Amino acid sequence: MSLFASLTDAAYALVRPIVHATDGEAAHNLTLSALEPLPRARAALTSPILATELAGISFPNPVGLAPGFDKDARVAAVMPRFGFGFVEVGTLTPLPQEGNPRPRLFRLVEDGAVINRMGFNNGGQAAAAERIARLRACGIAVPLGINIGANKDSADRIADYAKGTAAMAPLADYLTVNISSPNTPGLRALQDKGALEALLDGVAAAQPSGAAKPVFLKVAPDLEPADIDDIVAVALGKGLAAVIVSNTTIVRGALASRHAQEAGGLSGAPLAGLALQRVRDFHRASGGKLPLVAAGGIASAEQAWERIRAGASLVQIYSAMVYAGPGLAARIARGLEDLAVRDGFTRVTEAVGTAH
């Protein structure tokens, strides 16, 4: 792990009791404000074992920052300092929106979890595009994904995704179409086969002429087997670059925190088993033909390795950093090196899907 990440984790351990005594959203905004002045990363954590290629993009390592942490692309160029091999910003909507009423972000400390009902709060795609263009001019050490969504009050959500594609694809290494948030009413209905086909056709038509970017689709974990089969069929038929499995869940298991019944999407440790199973399900349904990105409940190198063995080419983390600190990405990446060697692989990519 890098010295920078180690020192940051040590500092985080000292301030975490204070951070956790603060409202979750306020603490998050303070974190972004503290990170924003840091100089951009000039290099990424990588090695021959960790280097990964997906959709024609070279990832220095397979551990990415999930969207939601840096909605408005304020610190994307800084995050590789903590060991991230790629960064995904957003979710960004065509127009700025406030999101749902506060409070809307809750730490479930006893459960190692988070519940959010943010509602795609962001400053809009135009402001983010200006910021990302400046980042691009200076250089970003890792691939940058841009996650797009629809405005809550939009009369035509498919048109919103087309607008987002036209605005953000020129600035992205890959584009994520997010139809899996439980916090925008009706959004998950776009996972239905007919609606999904129409949506992806709209996105394809809005791609930059002669410079189309890879499209990833982010899905919910709360899916039935028939839903998975339909999504896989559409994804393969439309030539999607990857499916991200998965977003937060609306299912509540046995949780200890007083916030357990708050409305919103649950992430963190309780999501781990469900999210892992969904990676297995999508790998099975596609016969390993559809590249997967695993997200949800990943807090260690062992858990990331399990997702890779189950069929994921890349992994993303966010909620676990609330408890483990920002150096978690570097610890996971270095741990993946050790696990690959332990299990007889010369590269992490050789292990994708080998648990089946």
Side-chain angles (χ1 to χ4, degrees), residues 52-59 62 64-65 67 86-88 143-149 161 165 169 172-180 196 199-200 203 207 212-219 231 235 238-245 290-295 313-316:
T52 299
E53 184 167 316
L54 178 66
I57 304 168
S58 295
F59 296 85
L65 178 65
F86 64 106
V87 172
E88 188 172 317
L144 177 70
I146 302 180
N147 185 303
I148 60 171
Y161 284 96
T165 300
D173 290 301
Y174 70 87
L175 200 67
T176 294
V177 174
N178 183 4
I179 54 172
S180 55
L196 182 56
L199 169 64
L200 295 178
V203 166
Q207 286 266 24
K213 297 299 174 66
V215 174
F216 294 8
L217 178 70
K218 186 162 187 173
V219 300
I231 291 170
K238 299 297 182 182
L240 284 186
V243 171
I244 301 176
V245 186
L290 181 63
L292 303 175
V293 179
S313 297
L314 304 169
V315 301
Q316 291 180 315

Short mmCIF file of all heavy atoms in Angstrom, two decimals, residues 52-59 62 64-65 67 86-88 143-149 161 165 169 172-180 196 199-200 203 207 212-219 231 235 238-245 290-295 313-316:
data_model
loop_
_atom_site.label_atom_id
_atom_site.label_comp_id
_atom_site.label_asym_id
_atom_site.label_seq_id
_atom_site.Cartn_x
_atom_site.Cartn_y
_atom_site.Cartn_z
N THR A 52 -5.58 -4.67 -15.94
CA THR A 52 -6.80 -5.27 -16.49
C THR A 52 -7.25 -4.49 -17.70
O THR A 52 -7.14 -3.26 -17.73
CB THR A 52 -7.91 -5.26 -15.43
OG1 THR A 52 -7.50 -6.02 -14.29
CG2 THR A 52 -9.22 -5.82 -15.96
N GLU A 53 -7.78 -5.18 -18.69
CA GLU A 53 -8.37 -4.51 -19.85
C GLU A 53 -9.81 -4.95 -19.99
O GLU A 53 -10.13 -6.13 -19.93
CB GLU A 53 -7.59 -4.79 -21.13
CG GLU A 53 -8.14 -4.00 -22.32
CD GLU A 53 -7.22 -4.01 -23.53
OE1 GLU A 53 -6.00 -3.82 -23.34
OE2 GLU A 53 -7.73 -4.20 -24.64
N LEU A 54 -10.68 -3.97 -20.18
CA LEU A 54 -12.09 -4.24 -20.39
C LEU A 54 -12.65 -3.19 -21.33
O LEU A 54 -12.36 -1.99 -21.17
CB LEU A 54 -12.85 -4.20 -19.05
CG LEU A 54 -14.37 -4.41 -19.13
CD1 LEU A 54 -14.70 -5.81 -19.60
CD2 LEU A 54 -15.02 -4.15 -17.76
N ALA A 55 -13.39 -3.60 -22.33
CA ALA A 55 -14.03 -2.70 -23.29
C ALA A 55 -13.01 -1.81 -23.99
O ALA A 55 -13.29 -0.66 -24.30
CB ALA A 55 -15.09 -1.86 -22.60
N GLY A 56 -11.81 -2.35 -24.20
CA GLY A 56 -10.78 -1.58 -24.86
C GLY A 56 -10.12 -0.54 -23.98
O GLY A 56 -9.31 0.26 -24.46
N ILE A 57 -10.42 -0.55 -22.69
CA ILE A 57 -9.86 0.41 -21.73
C ILE A 57 -8.84 -0.31 -20.86
O ILE A 57 -9.11 -1.41 -20.36
CB ILE A 57 -10.97 1.00 -20.84
CG1 ILE A 57 -12.07 1.65 -21.68
CG2 ILE A 57 -10.38 2.02 -19.87
CD1 ILE A 57 -13.31 2.00 -20.89
N SER A 58 -7.70 0.30 -20.64
CA SER A 58 -6.67 -0.27 -19.78
C SER A 58 -6.84 0.27 -18.36
O SER A 58 -6.74 1.49 -18.13
CB SER A 58 -5.28 0.09 -20.31
OG SER A 58 -5.06 -0.51 -21.57
N PHE A 59 -7.11 -0.63 -17.42
CA PHE A 59 -7.26 -0.28 -16.01
C PHE A 59 -5.99 -0.69 -15.28
O PHE A 59 -5.60 -1.86 -15.32
CB PHE A 59 -8.46 -1.01 -15.42
CG PHE A 59 -9.78 -0.61 -16.01
CD1 PHE A 59 -10.26 -1.21 -17.17
CD2 PHE A 59 -10.56 0.37 -15.42
CE1 PHE A 59 -11.47 -0.86 -17.72
CE2 PHE A 59 -11.78 0.74 -15.96
CZ PHE A 59 -12.24 0.14 -17.11
N PRO A 62 -7.93 -3.42 -10.80
CA PRO A 62 -9.37 -3.61 -10.98
C PRO A 62 -10.25 -3.05 -9.88
O PRO A 62 -11.45 -3.36 -9.84
CB PRO A 62 -9.49 -5.14 -11.02
CG PRO A 62 -8.39 -5.63 -10.14
CD PRO A 62 -7.26 -4.65 -10.35
N GLY A 64 -12.20 -0.03 -8.27
CA GLY A 64 -12.69 1.29 -8.63
C GLY A 64 -13.49 1.95 -7.53
O GLY A 64 -13.99 1.29 -6.61
N LEU A 65 -13.61 3.26 -7.65
CA LEU A 65 -14.47 4.05 -6.77
C LEU A 65 -15.87 4.08 -7.35
O LEU A 65 -16.07 4.52 -8.49
CB LEU A 65 -13.93 5.47 -6.62
CG LEU A 65 -14.77 6.42 -5.75
CD1 LEU A 65 -14.78 5.95 -4.30
CD2 LEU A 65 -14.24 7.85 -5.85
N PRO A 67 -19.79 5.20 -7.96
CA PRO A 67 -20.44 6.51 -8.00
C PRO A 67 -21.19 6.78 -6.70
O PRO A 67 -21.51 5.86 -5.95
CB PRO A 67 -21.40 6.39 -9.18
CG PRO A 67 -21.69 4.93 -9.27
CD PRO A 67 -20.40 4.25 -8.89
N PHE A 86 -9.67 2.97 -11.08
CA PHE A 86 -10.57 3.76 -11.92
C PHE A 86 -11.55 4.47 -11.01
O PHE A 86 -11.72 4.10 -9.83
CB PHE A 86 -11.28 2.92 -12.98
CG PHE A 86 -12.21 1.85 -12.47
CD1 PHE A 86 -13.59 2.00 -12.54
CD2 PHE A 86 -11.72 0.65 -11.96
CE1 PHE A 86 -14.44 1.00 -12.09
CE2 PHE A 86 -12.57 -0.36 -11.52
CZ PHE A 86 -13.94 -0.17 -11.58
N VAL A 87 -12.17 5.51 -11.53
CA VAL A 87 -13.09 6.34 -10.76
C VAL A 87 -14.35 6.54 -11.58
O VAL A 87 -14.28 6.84 -12.77
CB VAL A 87 -12.46 7.71 -10.42
CG1 VAL A 87 -13.48 8.64 -9.79
CG2 VAL A 87 -11.25 7.54 -9.50
N GLU A 88 -15.50 6.37 -10.93
CA GLU A 88 -16.78 6.64 -11.59
C GLU A 88 -17.48 7.77 -10.85
O GLU A 88 -17.73 7.66 -9.64
CB GLU A 88 -17.65 5.38 -11.62
CG GLU A 88 -18.91 5.54 -12.46
CD GLU A 88 -19.67 4.24 -12.63
OE1 GLU A 88 -19.03 3.19 -12.87
OE2 GLU A 88 -20.91 4.27 -12.53
N PRO A 143 -8.72 5.51 -15.67
CA PRO A 143 -9.94 5.69 -16.45
C PRO A 143 -11.05 6.34 -15.63
O PRO A 143 -11.19 6.10 -14.43
CB PRO A 143 -10.31 4.26 -16.85
CG PRO A 143 -9.02 3.52 -16.84
CD PRO A 143 -8.25 4.11 -15.70
N LEU A 144 -11.85 7.14 -16.32
CA LEU A 144 -12.95 7.87 -15.69
C LEU A 144 -14.28 7.43 -16.28
O LEU A 144 -14.50 7.56 -17.49
CB LEU A 144 -12.78 9.38 -15.89
CG LEU A 144 -13.90 10.26 -15.34
CD1 LEU A 144 -13.88 10.25 -13.82
CD2 LEU A 144 -13.78 11.68 -15.86
N GLY A 145 -15.15 6.89 -15.44
CA GLY A 145 -16.50 6.58 -15.85
C GLY A 145 -17.44 7.68 -15.42
O GLY A 145 -17.23 8.30 -14.36
N ILE A 146 -18.46 7.93 -16.21
CA ILE A 146 -19.46 8.94 -15.87
C ILE A 146 -20.82 8.26 -15.83
O ILE A 146 -21.26 7.65 -16.80
CB ILE A 146 -19.47 10.12 -16.86
CG1 ILE A 146 -18.08 10.77 -16.91
CG2 ILE A 146 -20.53 11.14 -16.47
CD1 ILE A 146 -17.99 11.96 -17.88
N ASN A 147 -21.47 8.36 -14.69
CA ASN A 147 -22.73 7.69 -14.41
C ASN A 147 -23.87 8.69 -14.64
O ASN A 147 -23.88 9.76 -14.04
CB ASN A 147 -22.71 7.18 -12.97
CG ASN A 147 -23.91 6.38 -12.58
OD1 ASN A 147 -25.04 6.85 -12.67
ND2 ASN A 147 -23.68 5.17 -12.09
N ILE A 148 -24.82 8.34 -15.51
CA ILE A 148 -25.90 9.27 -15.84
C ILE A 148 -27.25 8.71 -15.41
O ILE A 148 -27.47 7.50 -15.36
CB ILE A 148 -25.93 9.60 -17.35
CG1 ILE A 148 -26.12 8.33 -18.20
CG2 ILE A 148 -24.65 10.36 -17.75
CD1 ILE A 148 -26.36 8.61 -19.68
N GLY A 149 -28.17 9.65 -15.09
CA GLY A 149 -29.51 9.29 -14.68
C GLY A 149 -30.52 10.27 -15.23
O GLY A 149 -30.19 11.17 -16.01
N TYR A 161 -31.73 10.24 -20.63
CA TYR A 161 -30.51 9.44 -20.80
C TYR A 161 -29.83 9.75 -22.13
O TYR A 161 -28.59 9.74 -22.22
CB TYR A 161 -30.83 7.96 -20.69
CG TYR A 161 -31.07 7.51 -19.27
CD1 TYR A 161 -32.36 7.42 -18.75
CD2 TYR A 161 -30.00 7.20 -18.43
CE1 TYR A 161 -32.58 7.02 -17.44
CE2 TYR A 161 -30.21 6.80 -17.13
CZ TYR A 161 -31.50 6.72 -16.63
OH TYR A 161 -31.71 6.33 -15.32
N THR A 165 -26.07 11.16 -22.44
CA THR A 165 -25.09 10.52 -23.32
C THR A 165 -24.42 11.56 -24.21
O THR A 165 -23.18 11.61 -24.32
CB THR A 165 -25.76 9.45 -24.19
OG1 THR A 165 -26.35 8.46 -23.34
CG2 THR A 165 -24.76 8.80 -25.13
N ALA A 169 -20.67 11.64 -22.75
CA ALA A 169 -19.84 10.62 -23.42
C ALA A 169 -18.53 11.19 -23.96
O ALA A 169 -17.49 10.51 -23.86
CB ALA A 169 -20.63 9.93 -24.52
N ALA A 172 -15.96 10.99 -21.18
CA ALA A 172 -15.85 9.76 -20.39
C ALA A 172 -14.98 8.72 -21.09
O ALA A 172 -14.90 8.67 -22.32
CB ALA A 172 -17.24 9.17 -20.16
N ASP A 173 -14.34 7.88 -20.29
CA ASP A 173 -13.74 6.66 -20.83
C ASP A 173 -14.82 5.59 -21.01
O ASP A 173 -14.75 4.79 -21.94
CB ASP A 173 -12.63 6.15 -19.91
CG ASP A 173 -11.42 7.08 -19.93
OD1 ASP A 173 -10.85 7.27 -21.02
OD2 ASP A 173 -11.07 7.62 -18.87
N TYR A 174 -15.78 5.58 -20.11
CA TYR A 174 -16.98 4.76 -20.29
C TYR A 174 -18.15 5.49 -19.66
O TYR A 174 -17.99 6.36 -18.80
CB TYR A 174 -16.81 3.35 -19.70
CG TYR A 174 -16.76 3.29 -18.19
CD1 TYR A 174 -17.93 3.18 -17.42
CD2 TYR A 174 -15.54 3.29 -17.50
CE1 TYR A 174 -17.88 3.12 -16.04
CE2 TYR A 174 -15.49 3.22 -16.13
CZ TYR A 174 -16.67 3.13 -15.39
OH TYR A 174 -16.62 3.06 -14.02
N LEU A 175 -19.33 5.14 -20.09
CA LEU A 175 -20.57 5.76 -19.63
C LEU A 175 -21.40 4.71 -18.92
O LEU A 175 -21.58 3.60 -19.45
CB LEU A 175 -21.33 6.31 -20.83
CG LEU A 175 -22.38 7.39 -20.61
CD1 LEU A 175 -21.72 8.69 -20.15
CD2 LEU A 175 -23.15 7.63 -21.91
N THR A 176 -21.92 5.02 -17.74
CA THR A 176 -22.79 4.09 -17.03
C THR A 176 -24.22 4.61 -17.05
O THR A 176 -24.50 5.73 -16.63
CB THR A 176 -22.35 3.90 -15.57
OG1 THR A 176 -21.08 3.24 -15.55
CG2 THR A 176 -23.35 3.05 -14.80
N VAL A 177 -25.11 3.77 -17.54
CA VAL A 177 -26.54 4.07 -17.55
C VAL A 177 -27.12 3.48 -16.27
O VAL A 177 -27.20 2.26 -16.12
CB VAL A 177 -27.21 3.48 -18.80
CG1 VAL A 177 -28.72 3.65 -18.74
CG2 VAL A 177 -26.65 4.13 -20.06
N ASN A 178 -27.51 4.34 -15.35
CA ASN A 178 -27.97 3.92 -14.04
C ASN A 178 -29.50 3.90 -14.01
O ASN A 178 -30.14 4.95 -13.98
CB ASN A 178 -27.43 4.87 -12.96
CG ASN A 178 -27.83 4.44 -11.56
OD1 ASN A 178 -28.44 3.40 -11.36
ND2 ASN A 178 -27.47 5.26 -10.58
N ILE A 179 -30.07 2.70 -14.02
CA ILE A 179 -31.52 2.56 -13.94
C ILE A 179 -31.90 1.77 -12.70
O ILE A 179 -32.98 1.17 -12.64
CB ILE A 179 -32.08 1.88 -15.20
CG1 ILE A 179 -31.38 0.54 -15.46
CG2 ILE A 179 -31.93 2.79 -16.41
CD1 ILE A 179 -32.01 -0.27 -16.57
N SER A 180 -31.03 1.78 -11.70
CA SER A 180 -31.19 0.86 -10.58
C SER A 180 -31.35 1.53 -9.23
O SER A 180 -31.47 0.84 -8.21
CB SER A 180 -29.98 -0.07 -10.52
OG SER A 180 -28.78 0.68 -10.46
N LEU A 196 -36.05 -1.28 -21.50
CA LEU A 196 -34.59 -1.30 -21.56
C LEU A 196 -34.11 -1.23 -23.01
O LEU A 196 -33.14 -0.52 -23.32
CB LEU A 196 -34.06 -2.54 -20.86
CG LEU A 196 -32.54 -2.70 -20.80
CD1 LEU A 196 -31.89 -1.50 -20.13
CD2 LEU A 196 -32.18 -3.99 -20.04
N LEU A 199 -34.56 2.29 -24.18
CA LEU A 199 -33.58 3.15 -23.52
C LEU A 199 -32.22 3.03 -24.18
O LEU A 199 -31.57 4.03 -24.51
CB LEU A 199 -33.48 2.77 -22.04
CG LEU A 199 -32.33 3.39 -21.25
CD1 LEU A 199 -32.48 4.90 -21.18
CD2 LEU A 199 -32.26 2.79 -19.86
N LEU A 200 -31.76 1.80 -24.38
CA LEU A 200 -30.43 1.60 -24.95
C LEU A 200 -30.36 2.04 -26.40
O LEU A 200 -29.31 2.50 -26.87
CB LEU A 200 -30.01 0.15 -24.79
CG LEU A 200 -29.83 -0.31 -23.33
CD1 LEU A 200 -29.47 -1.79 -23.27
CD2 LEU A 200 -28.79 0.53 -22.61
N VAL A 203 -29.82 5.74 -26.14
CA VAL A 203 -28.43 6.02 -25.75
C VAL A 203 -27.51 5.84 -26.95
O VAL A 203 -26.62 6.67 -27.21
CB VAL A 203 -28.02 5.12 -24.58
CG1 VAL A 203 -26.51 5.14 -24.37
CG2 VAL A 203 -28.74 5.54 -23.30
N GLN A 207 -24.89 8.77 -29.03
CA GLN A 207 -23.43 8.67 -28.90
C GLN A 207 -22.74 9.63 -29.87
O GLN A 207 -23.25 9.92 -30.96
CB GLN A 207 -22.98 7.24 -29.20
CG GLN A 207 -23.28 6.24 -28.10
CD GLN A 207 -22.12 6.07 -27.13
OE1 GLN A 207 -21.27 6.94 -26.98
NE2 GLN A 207 -22.09 4.93 -26.46
N ALA A 212 -18.06 6.72 -30.35
CA ALA A 212 -18.92 6.15 -29.32
C ALA A 212 -18.10 5.59 -28.17
O ALA A 212 -17.03 5.03 -28.38
CB ALA A 212 -19.81 5.06 -29.92
N LYS A 213 -18.59 5.75 -26.96
CA LYS A 213 -17.91 5.26 -25.77
C LYS A 213 -18.57 3.99 -25.26
O LYS A 213 -19.77 3.78 -25.44
CB LYS A 213 -17.93 6.33 -24.68
CG LYS A 213 -17.19 7.60 -25.06
CD LYS A 213 -15.72 7.34 -25.34
CE LYS A 213 -15.00 8.56 -25.86
NZ LYS A 213 -14.91 9.65 -24.88
N PRO A 214 -17.80 3.12 -24.62
CA PRO A 214 -18.40 1.90 -24.04
C PRO A 214 -19.50 2.25 -23.05
O PRO A 214 -19.35 3.20 -22.26
CB PRO A 214 -17.21 1.23 -23.34
CG PRO A 214 -16.00 1.80 -23.99
CD PRO A 214 -16.34 3.19 -24.38
N VAL A 215 -20.58 1.49 -23.10
CA VAL A 215 -21.71 1.72 -22.20
C VAL A 215 -21.81 0.57 -21.21
O VAL A 215 -21.88 -0.60 -21.61
CB VAL A 215 -23.03 1.87 -23.00
CG1 VAL A 215 -24.22 1.96 -22.04
CG2 VAL A 215 -22.98 3.09 -23.90
N PHE A 216 -21.82 0.91 -19.93
CA PHE A 216 -22.06 -0.04 -18.85
C PHE A 216 -23.50 0.19 -18.37
O PHE A 216 -23.98 1.32 -18.38
CB PHE A 216 -21.11 0.17 -17.68
CG PHE A 216 -19.65 -0.12 -17.96
CD1 PHE A 216 -19.18 -0.39 -19.24
CD2 PHE A 216 -18.73 -0.09 -16.93
CE1 PHE A 216 -17.84 -0.64 -19.49
CE2 PHE A 216 -17.38 -0.34 -17.15
CZ PHE A 216 -16.94 -0.62 -18.44
N LEU A 217 -24.16 -0.85 -17.93
CA LEU A 217 -25.51 -0.76 -17.39
C LEU A 217 -25.48 -1.15 -15.93
O LEU A 217 -25.00 -2.23 -15.58
CB LEU A 217 -26.45 -1.70 -18.16
CG LEU A 217 -27.90 -1.75 -17.68
CD1 LEU A 217 -28.63 -0.45 -18.02
CD2 LEU A 217 -28.63 -2.95 -18.29
N LYS A 218 -26.00 -0.27 -15.06
CA LYS A 218 -26.02 -0.57 -13.62
C LYS A 218 -27.40 -1.06 -13.23
O LYS A 218 -28.40 -0.37 -13.44
CB LYS A 218 -25.64 0.65 -12.80
CG LYS A 218 -25.50 0.34 -11.31
CD LYS A 218 -24.72 1.40 -10.57
CE LYS A 218 -24.46 0.99 -9.14
NZ LYS A 218 -23.56 1.92 -8.45
N VAL A 219 -27.45 -2.26 -12.64
CA VAL A 219 -28.72 -2.89 -12.30
C VAL A 219 -28.86 -3.07 -10.80
O VAL A 219 -27.89 -3.00 -10.04
CB VAL A 219 -28.87 -4.25 -13.01
CG1 VAL A 219 -28.81 -4.08 -14.52
CG2 VAL A 219 -27.81 -5.25 -12.53
N ILE A 231 -32.44 -9.09 -19.00
CA ILE A 231 -31.40 -8.05 -19.03
C ILE A 231 -30.17 -8.56 -19.78
O ILE A 231 -29.58 -7.84 -20.59
CB ILE A 231 -31.04 -7.61 -17.60
CG1 ILE A 231 -32.20 -6.84 -16.98
CG2 ILE A 231 -29.77 -6.74 -17.60
CD1 ILE A 231 -32.04 -6.57 -15.49
N ALA A 235 -28.68 -6.92 -23.06
CA ALA A 235 -27.30 -6.42 -22.99
C ALA A 235 -26.44 -7.02 -24.10
O ALA A 235 -25.67 -6.31 -24.76
CB ALA A 235 -26.70 -6.73 -21.63
N LYS A 238 -27.67 -5.72 -27.59
CA LYS A 238 -27.36 -4.31 -27.87
C LYS A 238 -25.86 -4.01 -27.80
O LYS A 238 -25.46 -2.86 -27.98
CB LYS A 238 -28.11 -3.41 -26.88
CG LYS A 238 -29.63 -3.52 -26.94
CD LYS A 238 -30.18 -3.07 -28.28
CE LYS A 238 -31.69 -3.15 -28.32
NZ LYS A 238 -32.25 -2.75 -29.64
N GLY A 239 -25.07 -5.00 -27.50
CA GLY A 239 -23.62 -4.80 -27.49
C GLY A 239 -23.11 -3.98 -26.33
O GLY A 239 -22.11 -3.25 -26.47
N LEU A 240 -23.74 -4.11 -25.17
CA LEU A 240 -23.25 -3.39 -24.00
C LEU A 240 -21.85 -3.87 -23.63
O LEU A 240 -21.51 -5.04 -23.78
CB LEU A 240 -24.18 -3.59 -22.81
CG LEU A 240 -25.50 -2.83 -22.81
CD1 LEU A 240 -26.22 -3.05 -21.48
CD2 LEU A 240 -25.29 -1.34 -23.04
N ALA A 241 -21.04 -2.94 -23.11
CA ALA A 241 -19.67 -3.29 -22.75
C ALA A 241 -19.60 -4.07 -21.46
O ALA A 241 -18.71 -4.91 -21.28
CB ALA A 241 -18.82 -2.02 -22.64
N ALA A 242 -20.53 -3.80 -20.52
CA ALA A 242 -20.51 -4.49 -19.22
C ALA A 242 -21.79 -4.18 -18.48
O ALA A 242 -22.50 -3.21 -18.78
CB ALA A 242 -19.31 -4.04 -18.38
N VAL A 243 -22.08 -5.01 -17.49
CA VAL A 243 -23.17 -4.76 -16.54
C VAL A 243 -22.55 -4.64 -15.15
O VAL A 243 -21.71 -5.46 -14.76
CB VAL A 243 -24.22 -5.89 -16.57
CG1 VAL A 243 -25.22 -5.72 -15.43
CG2 VAL A 243 -24.96 -5.89 -17.90
N ILE A 244 -22.97 -3.61 -14.42
CA ILE A 244 -22.50 -3.40 -13.05
C ILE A 244 -23.53 -4.02 -12.11
O ILE A 244 -24.70 -3.63 -12.09
CB ILE A 244 -22.31 -1.91 -12.73
CG1 ILE A 244 -21.30 -1.29 -13.69
CG2 ILE A 244 -21.87 -1.72 -11.29
CD1 ILE A 244 -21.11 0.22 -13.51
N VAL A 245 -23.07 -4.98 -11.32
CA VAL A 245 -23.92 -5.76 -10.42
C VAL A 245 -23.40 -5.59 -8.99
O VAL A 245 -22.39 -6.17 -8.64
CB VAL A 245 -23.88 -7.26 -10.81
CG1 VAL A 245 -24.86 -8.06 -9.99
CG2 VAL A 245 -24.12 -7.46 -12.30
N LEU A 290 -20.83 -11.96 -20.99
CA LEU A 290 -21.11 -10.56 -20.68
C LEU A 290 -20.16 -10.10 -19.57
O LEU A 290 -20.22 -10.60 -18.45
CB LEU A 290 -22.56 -10.42 -20.21
CG LEU A 290 -23.05 -9.02 -19.86
CD1 LEU A 290 -23.01 -8.11 -21.08
CD2 LEU A 290 -24.47 -9.09 -19.30
N PRO A 291 -19.27 -9.15 -19.85
CA PRO A 291 -18.38 -8.65 -18.80
C PRO A 291 -19.16 -8.04 -17.64
O PRO A 291 -20.20 -7.38 -17.86
CB PRO A 291 -17.55 -7.58 -19.52
CG PRO A 291 -17.58 -8.00 -20.96
CD PRO A 291 -18.95 -8.56 -21.17
N LEU A 292 -18.67 -8.27 -16.44
CA LEU A 292 -19.36 -7.81 -15.23
C LEU A 292 -18.44 -6.96 -14.37
O LEU A 292 -17.23 -7.19 -14.32
CB LEU A 292 -19.85 -9.00 -14.41
CG LEU A 292 -20.79 -9.99 -15.12
CD1 LEU A 292 -21.08 -11.17 -14.21
CD2 LEU A 292 -22.08 -9.31 -15.56
N VAL A 293 -19.04 -5.98 -13.69
CA VAL A 293 -18.37 -5.19 -12.67
C VAL A 293 -19.13 -5.43 -11.38
O VAL A 293 -20.35 -5.28 -11.34
CB VAL A 293 -18.37 -3.69 -13.02
CG1 VAL A 293 -17.68 -2.88 -11.94
CG2 VAL A 293 -17.72 -3.45 -14.38
N ALA A 294 -18.43 -5.82 -10.33
CA ALA A 294 -19.08 -6.15 -9.06
C ALA A 294 -19.04 -4.98 -8.11
O ALA A 294 -18.00 -4.33 -7.93
CB ALA A 294 -18.41 -7.36 -8.42
N ALA A 295 -20.18 -4.71 -7.48
CA ALA A 295 -20.28 -3.67 -6.47
C ALA A 295 -21.24 -4.13 -5.39
O ALA A 295 -22.13 -4.94 -5.66
CB ALA A 295 -20.75 -2.36 -7.08
N SER A 313 -14.92 -8.77 -13.76
CA SER A 313 -13.61 -8.32 -14.23
C SER A 313 -13.07 -7.16 -13.41
O SER A 313 -11.85 -6.98 -13.28
CB SER A 313 -13.71 -7.90 -15.70
OG SER A 313 -14.06 -8.99 -16.52
N LEU A 314 -13.99 -6.36 -12.86
CA LEU A 314 -13.64 -5.21 -12.04
C LEU A 314 -14.53 -5.21 -10.81
O LEU A 314 -15.60 -5.83 -10.79
CB LEU A 314 -13.87 -3.90 -12.81
CG LEU A 314 -13.16 -3.70 -14.15
CD1 LEU A 314 -13.71 -2.47 -14.85
CD2 LEU A 314 -11.65 -3.57 -13.96
N VAL A 315 -14.10 -4.49 -9.77
CA VAL A 315 -14.92 -4.30 -8.57
C VAL A 315 -14.96 -2.82 -8.24
O VAL A 315 -14.07 -2.05 -8.62
CB VAL A 315 -14.40 -5.11 -7.38
CG1 VAL A 315 -14.37 -6.60 -7.69
CG2 VAL A 315 -13.01 -4.62 -6.93
N GLN A 316 -16.00 -2.42 -7.50
CA GLN A 316 -16.12 -1.04 -7.03
C GLN A 316 -16.45 -1.04 -5.55
O GLN A 316 -17.18 -1.91 -5.06
CB GLN A 316 -17.22 -0.30 -7.79
CG GLN A 316 -16.92 -0.03 -9.25
CD GLN A 316 -18.05 0.70 -9.95
OE1 GLN A 316 -19.22 0.36 -9.78
NE2 GLN A 316 -17.72 1.71 -10.73
#
